[in-house]
Every structure is written in structure tokens, then in C-alpha cells.
Amino acid sequence: MNKNDNNNQPPRAYSTSLRLSPLMHERLARIAERTNRSKTFYIQEAINLYLEELEKIYLTEQEQIELKKQLTNKNN
């Protein structure tokens, strides 16, 4: 049983792993180092931007409206 089971709250973040080519890893490490940000920050940024594009392509207009409402409510 983990800490979140006691209060019925979802985890604040999920962990996952992925494999990068050596070139992609080097590019990611370089930008992270030069900007004093983490590689995780840039991975999350890239996924977020790409997901927005995929949602525009694959989700219906109504699903997009509902998703935007959910995101707005979470940010407020």
C-alpha cells in the first residue's frame, strides 16, 4: 500500500521511461545544460506540444471543448 492509498488522492505525477537514440540524448542533454533546465522539463514540453497537435487532429471538436474545460478547471 502506498502513501496515496490512504487519502484516496491520485498521484501528483506519473513516472515512465523511454529509450532515446544517442543523438537525441546528446541534443537533449546539450539544451538542458545550456539553459540550466532539466531534461525532464524538455521532454515534458515536447510531449505537451505534440499532444496538443495530436488532439487537434484526432479528437472531435466537442472532445476538444471538454478537454479544454477540464484543463482550465485544473489550472484555476
Coordinates of all heavy atoms in Angstrom, one line a residue:
M1 N 0.8 -1.2 0.0 CA 0.0 0.0 0.0 C 0.9 1.2 0.0 O 1.8 1.4 0.8 CB -0.9 0.0 1.3 CG -2.0 0.9 1.2 SD -3.3 0.1 2.2 CE -3.9 1.5 3.0
N2 N 0.6 2.2 -0.9 CA 1.4 3.4 -0.9 C 0.8 4.5 -0.2 O -0.4 4.4 0.2 CB 1.9 3.7 -2.4 CG 0.7 4.2 -3.2 OD1 -0.2 4.8 -2.7 ND2 0.7 3.9 -4.5
K3 N 1.5 5.6 -0.1 CA 1.0 6.8 0.6 C -0.3 7.3 0.1 O -1.1 7.8 0.8 CB 2.1 7.9 0.5 CG 1.9 9.1 1.3 CD 3.0 10.0 1.2 CE 2.8 11.3 1.9 NZ 3.9 12.2 1.8
N4 N -0.5 7.3 -1.2 CA -1.7 7.8 -1.8 C -3.0 7.0 -1.6 O -4.1 7.5 -1.7 CB -1.5 8.0 -3.3 CG -0.5 9.1 -3.6 OD1 -0.5 10.1 -2.9 ND2 0.3 8.9 -4.7
D5 N -2.8 5.7 -1.2 CA -3.9 4.9 -0.9 C -4.7 5.3 0.3 O -5.9 5.1 0.4 CB -3.5 3.4 -0.8 CG -3.0 2.8 -2.1 OD1 -3.4 3.3 -3.2 OD2 -2.3 1.8 -2.0
N6 N -4.0 5.9 1.2 CA -4.6 6.3 2.5 C -5.6 7.5 2.3 O -6.6 7.6 3.0 CB -3.6 6.7 3.5 CG -2.8 5.5 3.9 OD1 -3.3 4.3 3.9 ND2 -1.5 5.7 4.3
N7 N -5.4 8.4 1.4 CA -6.2 9.6 1.3 C -7.0 9.6 0.0 O -7.6 10.6 -0.3 CB -5.4 10.8 1.5 CG -4.3 11.0 0.5 OD1 -4.3 10.3 -0.5 ND2 -3.3 11.8 0.8
N8 N -7.0 8.6 -0.7 CA -7.7 8.4 -2.0 C -7.4 9.5 -3.0 O -8.3 9.9 -3.8 CB -9.2 8.4 -1.7 CG -9.6 7.1 -1.0 OD1 -9.1 6.1 -1.2 ND2 -10.6 7.2 -0.1
Q9 N -6.3 10.1 -2.9 CA -5.8 11.1 -3.9 C -5.0 10.5 -4.9 O -4.2 9.6 -4.7 CB -5.0 12.2 -3.1 CG -5.8 13.0 -2.1 CD -6.9 13.8 -2.7 OE1 -6.7 14.5 -3.8 NE2 -8.0 13.8 -2.1
P10 N -5.2 10.9 -6.2 CA -4.3 10.4 -7.3 C -2.9 10.9 -7.1 O -2.7 12.0 -6.4 CB -5.0 10.9 -8.5 CG -5.7 12.2 -8.1 CD -6.1 11.9 -6.7
P11 N -1.9 10.2 -7.7 CA -0.6 10.7 -7.6 C -0.4 12.1 -8.3 O -1.2 12.4 -9.2 CB 0.3 9.7 -8.3 CG -0.7 8.8 -8.9 CD -2.1 9.0 -8.4
R12 N 0.5 12.9 -7.8 CA 0.7 14.2 -8.4 C 1.4 14.1 -9.7 O 1.3 15.0 -10.6 CB 1.4 15.1 -7.4 CG 0.6 15.4 -6.2 CD 1.3 16.2 -5.2 NE 2.3 17.2 -5.6 CZ 2.8 18.0 -4.8 NH1 2.6 18.0 -3.5 NH2 3.7 18.9 -5.3
A13 N 2.1 13.1 -10.0 CA 2.8 12.9 -11.2 C 3.0 11.4 -11.4 O 3.1 10.6 -10.5 CB 4.2 13.6 -11.2
Y14 N 3.2 11.0 -12.7 CA 3.4 9.6 -13.0 C 4.8 9.5 -13.6 O 5.3 10.4 -14.2 CB 2.4 9.1 -14.0 CG 1.0 8.9 -13.5 CD1 0.1 9.9 -13.6 CD2 0.7 7.8 -12.8 CE1 -1.2 9.8 -13.1 CE2 -0.6 7.6 -12.3 CZ -1.5 8.6 -12.4 OH -2.8 8.5 -11.9
S15 N 5.4 8.4 -13.5 CA 6.7 8.1 -14.0 C 6.7 7.2 -15.2 O 5.8 6.3 -15.2 CB 7.6 7.5 -12.9 OG 8.9 7.2 -13.4
T16 N 7.5 7.4 -16.1 CA 7.6 6.5 -17.3 C 9.0 6.5 -17.8 O 9.8 7.3 -17.3 CB 6.6 6.9 -18.4 OG1 6.5 5.8 -19.3 CG2 7.0 8.2 -19.1
S17 N 9.3 5.6 -18.6 CA 10.7 5.5 -19.2 C 10.6 5.5 -20.7 O 9.6 5.0 -21.2 CB 11.5 4.4 -18.6 OG 10.9 3.1 -19.0
L18 N 11.7 5.9 -21.3 CA 11.7 5.8 -22.8 C 13.2 5.7 -23.2 O 14.1 6.0 -22.5 CB 11.1 7.1 -23.4 CG 11.8 8.4 -23.2 CD1 11.8 9.2 -24.5 CD2 11.1 9.1 -22.1
R19 N 13.3 5.2 -24.4 CA 14.7 5.0 -25.0 C 14.9 6.1 -26.0 O 14.0 6.3 -26.8 CB 14.8 3.6 -25.6 CG 14.7 2.5 -24.6 CD 15.0 1.2 -25.3 NE 14.7 0.1 -24.4 CZ 15.5 -0.5 -23.5 NH1 16.7 0.0 -23.4 NH2 15.2 -1.4 -22.7
L20 N 16.0 6.7 -25.9 CA 16.4 7.7 -26.9 C 17.6 7.3 -27.7 O 18.5 6.6 -27.1 CB 16.8 9.0 -26.2 CG 15.7 9.7 -25.3 CD1 16.3 10.9 -24.6 CD2 14.5 10.1 -26.2
S21 N 17.7 7.7 -28.9 CA 18.9 7.4 -29.7 C 20.0 8.2 -29.1 O 19.8 9.2 -28.4 CB 18.7 7.8 -31.2 OG 18.6 9.3 -31.2
P22 N 21.3 7.8 -29.3 CA 22.4 8.6 -28.8 C 22.4 10.0 -29.2 O 22.6 11.0 -28.4 CB 23.6 7.9 -29.3 CG 23.2 6.4 -29.5 CD 21.7 6.6 -29.9
L23 N 22.0 10.3 -30.5 CA 22.0 11.7 -31.0 C 20.9 12.5 -30.3 O 21.1 13.6 -29.8 CB 21.7 11.7 -32.5 CG 21.5 13.1 -33.1 CD1 22.8 13.9 -32.9 CD2 21.2 12.9 -34.6
M24 N 19.7 11.9 -30.1 CA 18.6 12.6 -29.4 C 19.0 12.9 -28.0 O 18.7 14.0 -27.4 CB 17.3 11.8 -29.5 CG 16.1 12.6 -29.1 SD 14.6 11.7 -29.2 CE 14.5 11.4 -31.0
H25 N 19.6 11.9 -27.3 CA 20.0 12.1 -25.9 C 21.1 13.2 -25.8 O 21.0 14.1 -24.9 CB 20.6 10.8 -25.4 CG 21.0 10.9 -23.9 ND1 22.3 11.3 -23.5 CD2 20.3 10.8 -22.8 CE1 22.3 11.3 -22.2 NE2 21.1 11.0 -21.7
E26 N 22.0 13.3 -26.7 CA 23.0 14.3 -26.7 C 22.4 15.7 -27.0 O 22.7 16.7 -26.3 CB 24.1 14.1 -27.8 CG 25.1 15.2 -28.0 CD 25.9 15.5 -26.7 OE1 26.1 14.5 -25.9 OE2 26.2 16.6 -26.5
R27 N 21.4 15.8 -27.9 CA 20.8 17.1 -28.1 C 20.0 17.5 -26.9 O 20.0 18.7 -26.5 CB 19.8 16.9 -29.3 CG 20.5 16.7 -30.7 CD 19.6 16.4 -31.8 NE 18.7 17.5 -32.0 CZ 17.6 17.4 -32.7 NH1 17.2 16.2 -33.3 NH2 16.8 18.4 -33.0
L28 N 19.3 16.6 -26.3 CA 18.5 16.9 -25.1 C 19.5 17.3 -23.9 O 19.2 18.3 -23.3 CB 17.7 15.7 -24.7 CG 16.8 15.8 -23.5 CD1 15.7 16.9 -23.7 CD2 16.1 14.4 -23.2
A29 N 20.5 16.6 -23.7 CA 21.5 17.0 -22.7 C 22.1 18.4 -23.0 O 22.3 19.2 -22.0 CB 22.6 15.9 -22.6
R30 N 22.4 18.6 -24.2 CA 23.0 19.9 -24.6 C 22.1 21.1 -24.3 O 22.5 22.1 -23.6 CB 23.4 19.9 -26.0 CG 24.2 21.2 -26.5 CD 24.6 21.2 -27.9 NE 25.0 19.9 -28.4 CZ 24.4 19.3 -29.5 NH1 23.4 19.8 -30.1 NH2 24.9 18.1 -29.9
I31 N 20.8 21.0 -24.7 CA 19.9 22.1 -24.4 C 19.6 22.3 -22.9 O 19.5 23.4 -22.4 CB 18.6 22.0 -25.3 CG1 17.9 23.4 -25.2 CG2 17.7 20.9 -24.8 CD1 16.8 23.5 -26.2
A32 N 19.5 21.2 -22.2 CA 19.3 21.2 -20.8 C 20.4 21.9 -20.1 O 20.3 22.8 -19.2 CB 19.1 19.8 -20.2
E33 N 21.6 21.5 -20.4 CA 22.8 22.1 -19.8 C 23.0 23.6 -20.1 O 23.2 24.4 -19.2 CB 24.1 21.4 -20.3 CG 25.3 21.9 -19.6 CD 26.6 21.1 -20.0 OE1 26.5 19.9 -20.3 OE2 27.6 21.7 -20.1
R34 N 22.8 23.9 -21.4 CA 22.9 25.4 -21.8 C 21.9 26.3 -21.2 O 22.1 27.5 -21.1 CB 22.9 25.5 -23.3 CG 24.2 24.9 -23.9 CD 24.2 25.1 -25.4 NE 25.4 24.6 -26.0 CZ 25.7 24.5 -27.2 NH1 24.8 24.9 -28.1 NH2 26.8 24.0 -27.7
T35 N 20.7 25.7 -20.9 CA 19.6 26.6 -20.4 C 19.4 26.4 -18.9 O 18.5 27.0 -18.3 CB 18.3 26.3 -21.1 OG1 18.0 24.9 -20.9 CG2 18.5 26.6 -22.6
N36 N 20.2 25.5 -18.2 CA 20.0 25.3 -16.8 C 18.6 24.7 -16.5 O 18.0 25.1 -15.4 CB 20.3 26.5 -15.9 CG 21.8 26.8 -15.9 OD1 22.7 25.9 -15.9 ND2 22.1 28.1 -16.0
R37 N 18.1 24.0 -17.4 CA 16.8 23.3 -17.1 C 17.1 21.8 -17.2 O 18.1 21.3 -17.7 CB 15.8 23.7 -18.2 CG 15.3 25.1 -18.1 CD 14.0 25.3 -18.8 NE 13.6 26.6 -18.7 CZ 12.6 27.1 -18.0 NH1 11.9 26.3 -17.2 NH2 12.2 28.3 -18.1
S38 N 16.1 21.0 -16.7 CA 16.3 19.6 -16.6 C 15.9 18.9 -18.0 O 15.1 19.5 -18.8 CB 15.5 18.9 -15.5 OG 14.1 19.1 -15.8
K39 N 16.4 17.8 -18.2 CA 16.0 17.0 -19.4 C 14.5 16.7 -19.3 O 13.8 16.7 -20.3 CB 16.8 15.8 -19.6 CG 18.3 16.1 -20.0 CD 19.1 14.8 -20.2 CE 19.5 14.2 -18.9 NZ 20.3 13.0 -19.1
T40 N 14.1 16.4 -18.1 CA 12.6 16.1 -17.9 C 11.8 17.3 -18.3 O 10.7 17.1 -18.9 CB 12.4 15.8 -16.4 OG1 13.1 14.6 -16.0 CG2 10.9 15.6 -16.1
F41 N 12.2 18.5 -18.0 CA 11.4 19.7 -18.4 C 11.2 19.7 -19.9 O 10.1 19.9 -20.4 CB 12.2 21.0 -18.0 CG 11.6 22.2 -18.6 CD1 10.5 22.8 -18.0 CD2 12.1 22.8 -19.7 CE1 9.9 24.0 -18.5 CE2 11.5 23.9 -20.3 CZ 10.4 24.5 -19.7
Y42 N 12.3 19.4 -20.7 CA 12.2 19.5 -22.1 C 11.4 18.3 -22.7 O 10.7 18.4 -23.7 CB 13.6 19.6 -22.8 CG 14.1 21.0 -22.6 CD1 15.2 21.3 -21.7 CD2 13.5 22.1 -23.3 CE1 15.6 22.5 -21.6 CE2 14.0 23.4 -23.1 CZ 15.1 23.6 -22.2 OH 15.5 24.9 -22.1
I43 N 11.5 17.2 -22.1 CA 10.7 16.0 -22.5 C 9.3 16.3 -22.3 O 8.4 16.1 -23.2 CB 11.2 14.7 -21.8 CG1 12.6 14.3 -22.2 CG2 10.2 13.6 -22.0 CD1 13.2 13.2 -21.4
Q44 N 8.9 16.9 -21.2 CA 7.5 17.2 -20.9 C 7.0 18.3 -21.8 O 5.9 18.2 -22.3 CB 7.3 17.7 -19.4 CG 7.5 16.5 -18.4 CD 7.5 17.0 -17.0 OE1 7.8 18.2 -16.7 NE2 7.1 16.1 -16.1
E45 N 7.8 19.3 -22.1 CA 7.4 20.3 -23.1 C 7.2 19.7 -24.5 O 6.2 20.1 -25.1 CB 8.5 21.4 -23.2 CG 8.6 22.3 -22.0 CD 7.4 23.2 -21.9 OE1 7.2 24.0 -22.8 OE2 6.7 23.1 -20.9
A46 N 8.1 18.9 -24.9 CA 7.9 18.3 -26.2 C 6.7 17.4 -26.3 O 5.9 17.5 -27.3 CB 9.2 17.5 -26.6
I47 N 6.4 16.6 -25.3 CA 5.2 15.8 -25.3 C 4.0 16.6 -25.3 O 3.0 16.4 -26.0 CB 5.3 14.8 -24.1 CG1 6.4 13.7 -24.4 CG2 3.9 14.1 -24.0 CD1 6.7 12.8 -23.2
N48 N 4.0 17.6 -24.4 CA 2.8 18.5 -24.3 C 2.5 19.2 -25.7 O 1.3 19.2 -26.1 CB 3.0 19.6 -23.3 CG 1.7 20.4 -23.0 OD1 0.7 19.8 -22.8 ND2 1.9 21.7 -23.0
L49 N 3.5 19.7 -26.3 CA 3.2 20.4 -27.6 C 2.7 19.4 -28.7 O 1.8 19.7 -29.4 CB 4.5 21.0 -28.1 CG 5.0 22.3 -27.4 CD1 6.3 22.7 -27.9 CD2 4.0 23.4 -27.6
Y50 N 3.3 18.2 -28.7 CA 2.9 17.2 -29.7 C 1.5 16.7 -29.4 O 0.7 16.4 -30.3 CB 3.9 16.1 -29.7 CG 3.7 15.2 -30.9 CD1 3.9 15.7 -32.2 CD2 3.4 13.9 -30.8 CE1 3.7 14.9 -33.3 CE2 3.2 13.0 -31.9 CZ 3.3 13.6 -33.2 OH 3.1 12.8 -34.2
L51 N 1.2 16.5 -28.1 CA -0.1 16.0 -27.8 C -1.2 17.0 -28.2 O -2.3 16.6 -28.6 CB -0.2 15.7 -26.2 CG 0.3 14.4 -25.7 CD1 0.2 14.3 -24.2 CD2 -0.4 13.2 -26.4
E52 N -0.9 18.3 -28.0 CA -1.9 19.3 -28.4 C -2.1 19.2 -29.9 O -3.3 19.3 -30.4 CB -1.3 20.7 -28.1 CG -1.4 21.0 -26.6 CD -0.8 22.4 -26.3 OE1 -0.5 23.2 -27.2 OE2 -0.6 22.7 -25.1
E53 N -1.1 18.9 -30.7 CA -1.3 18.8 -32.2 C -2.1 17.5 -32.5 O -3.0 17.5 -33.3 CB 0.1 18.7 -32.9 CG 0.8 20.0 -32.9 CD -0.1 21.2 -33.5 OE1 -0.6 21.0 -34.6 OE2 -0.2 22.2 -32.9
L54 N -1.8 16.4 -31.8 CA -2.5 15.1 -32.0 C -4.0 15.3 -31.6 O -4.8 14.7 -32.3 CB -1.8 14.0 -31.2 CG -0.5 13.6 -31.7 CD1 0.1 12.5 -30.7 CD2 -0.6 13.0 -33.1
E55 N -4.2 16.0 -30.5 CA -5.6 16.2 -30.1 C -6.4 17.0 -31.1 O -7.5 16.7 -31.4 CB -5.6 16.9 -28.7 CG -5.2 16.0 -27.6 CD -4.9 16.8 -26.3 OE1 -4.8 18.0 -26.3 OE2 -4.7 16.1 -25.3
K56 N -5.7 18.0 -31.7 CA -6.4 18.7 -32.8 C -6.7 17.9 -34.0 O -7.8 18.0 -34.6 CB -5.5 19.9 -33.3 CG -5.4 21.0 -32.3 CD -4.4 22.0 -32.8 CE -4.0 23.1 -31.7 NZ -3.0 24.0 -32.2
I57 N -5.9 16.9 -34.3 CA -6.1 16.1 -35.4 C -7.1 15.0 -35.2 O -8.0 14.7 -36.0 CB -4.7 15.4 -35.9 CG1 -3.8 16.5 -36.4 CG2 -4.9 14.3 -36.9 CD1 -2.3 16.0 -36.5
Y58 N -7.0 14.3 -34.0 CA -7.7 13.1 -33.8 C -9.0 13.3 -32.9 O -9.9 12.4 -33.0 CB -6.8 12.0 -33.2 CG -5.8 11.6 -34.1 CD1 -4.5 11.9 -33.9 CD2 -6.1 10.9 -35.2 CE1 -3.5 11.5 -34.8 CE2 -5.1 10.4 -36.1 CZ -3.8 10.8 -35.9 OH -2.9 10.4 -36.8
L59 N -9.1 14.3 -32.1 CA -10.3 14.4 -31.3 C -11.3 15.3 -32.0 O -11.0 16.2 -32.7 CB -9.9 15.1 -30.0 CG -9.0 14.3 -29.1 CD1 -8.8 15.1 -27.8 CD2 -9.6 12.9 -28.7
T60 N -12.6 14.9 -31.8 CA -13.7 15.7 -32.3 C -13.7 17.1 -31.7 O -13.1 17.3 -30.6 CB -15.0 15.1 -32.1 OG1 -15.3 15.1 -30.7 CG2 -15.1 13.7 -32.7
E61 N -14.4 18.0 -32.3 CA -14.5 19.4 -31.8 C -15.0 19.4 -30.4 O -14.6 20.1 -29.5 CB -15.4 20.2 -32.7 CG -15.4 21.7 -32.3 CD -16.2 22.5 -33.3 OE1 -16.4 22.1 -34.4 OE2 -16.6 23.6 -32.8
Q62 N -16.1 18.6 -30.1 CA -16.7 18.5 -28.8 C -15.7 18.0 -27.7 O -15.6 18.5 -26.6 CB -18.0 17.7 -28.8 CG -18.7 17.7 -27.4 CD -19.1 19.1 -27.0 OE1 -19.5 19.9 -27.8 NE2 -19.0 19.4 -25.7
E63 N -15.0 17.0 -28.1 CA -14.0 16.4 -27.2 C -12.9 17.5 -26.9 O -12.4 17.6 -25.7 CB -13.3 15.2 -27.8 CG -14.2 13.9 -27.8 CD -13.6 12.8 -28.5 OE1 -13.0 13.0 -29.6 OE2 -13.7 11.6 -28.0
Q64 N -12.5 18.2 -27.9 CA -11.6 19.3 -27.6 C -12.1 20.3 -26.6 O -11.4 20.8 -25.7 CB -11.2 20.0 -28.9 CG -10.3 19.1 -29.9 CD -10.0 19.8 -31.2 OE1 -9.9 21.0 -31.2 NE2 -10.0 19.0 -32.2
I65 N -13.4 20.7 -26.8 CA -14.0 21.7 -25.9 C -14.0 21.1 -24.5 O -13.7 21.8 -23.5 CB -15.4 22.0 -26.4 CG1 -15.4 22.8 -27.7 CG2 -16.2 22.8 -25.3 CD1 -16.7 23.0 -28.4
E66 N -14.4 19.9 -24.3 CA -14.5 19.3 -23.0 C -13.1 19.2 -22.4 O -12.9 19.5 -21.2 CB -15.1 17.9 -23.1 CG -16.6 18.0 -23.4 CD -17.2 16.6 -23.6 OE1 -16.6 15.6 -23.3 OE2 -18.3 16.5 -24.2
L67 N -12.1 18.8 -23.2 CA -10.7 18.7 -22.7 C -10.2 20.1 -22.2 O -9.6 20.2 -21.2 CB -9.8 18.2 -23.7 CG -8.3 18.0 -23.4 CD1 -8.2 17.0 -22.2 CD2 -7.5 17.5 -24.5
K68 N -10.5 21.1 -23.0 CA -10.1 22.5 -22.6 C -10.7 22.9 -21.3 O -10.1 23.6 -20.5 CB -10.4 23.5 -23.8 CG -9.4 23.3 -24.9 CD -9.8 24.3 -26.1 CE -8.9 24.0 -27.3 NZ -9.2 24.9 -28.4
K69 N -12.0 22.6 -21.1 CA -12.7 22.9 -19.9 C -12.0 22.2 -18.7 O -11.8 22.9 -17.7 CB -14.2 22.5 -20.0 CG -15.0 23.4 -20.8 CD -16.5 22.9 -20.8 CE -17.4 23.7 -21.7 NZ -18.7 23.1 -21.7
Q70 N -11.7 21.0 -18.9 CA -11.0 20.2 -17.8 C -9.7 20.8 -17.5 O -9.3 21.0 -16.3 CB -10.8 18.8 -18.2 CG -12.1 18.0 -18.3 CD -11.9 16.6 -18.8 OE1 -10.7 16.2 -19.1 NE2 -13.0 15.8 -19.0
L71 N -8.9 21.2 -18.5 CA -7.6 21.8 -18.3 C -7.7 23.1 -17.6 O -6.9 23.5 -16.7 CB -6.8 21.9 -19.6 CG -6.4 20.6 -20.2 CD1 -5.8 20.8 -21.6 CD2 -5.5 19.8 -19.3
T72 N -8.7 23.9 -18.0 CA -8.9 25.2 -17.4 C -9.3 25.1 -15.9 O -8.8 25.8 -15.1 CB -10.0 26.0 -18.2 OG1 -9.6 26.2 -19.5 CG2 -10.3 27.4 -17.6
N73 N -10.2 24.1 -15.6 CA -10.6 23.9 -14.3 C -9.4 23.5 -13.4 O -9.3 23.8 -12.2 CB -11.7 22.9 -14.2 CG -13.0 23.5 -14.7 OD1 -13.2 24.7 -14.8 ND2 -13.9 22.6 -15.1
K74 N -8.5 22.7 -13.9 CA -7.4 22.2 -13.2 C -6.4 23.3 -12.9 O -5.7 23.4 -11.9 CB -6.6 21.1 -13.9 CG -7.3 19.8 -13.9 CD -6.5 18.7 -14.5 CE -7.2 17.4 -14.5 NZ -6.5 16.3 -15.1
N75 N -6.3 24.3 -13.8 CA -5.4 25.4 -13.7 C -5.9 26.5 -12.8 O -5.2 27.4 -12.4 CB -5.0 26.0 -15.0 CG -4.2 25.0 -15.8 OD1 -3.4 24.2 -15.3 ND2 -4.3 25.1 -17.2
N76 N -7.2 26.5 -12.5 CA -7.8 27.5 -11.6 C -7.9 27.1 -10.2 O -7.7 26.2 -9.6 CB -9.2 27.9 -12.1 CG -9.1 28.7 -13.4 OD1 -8.1 29.3 -13.7 ND2 -10.1 28.6 -14.2

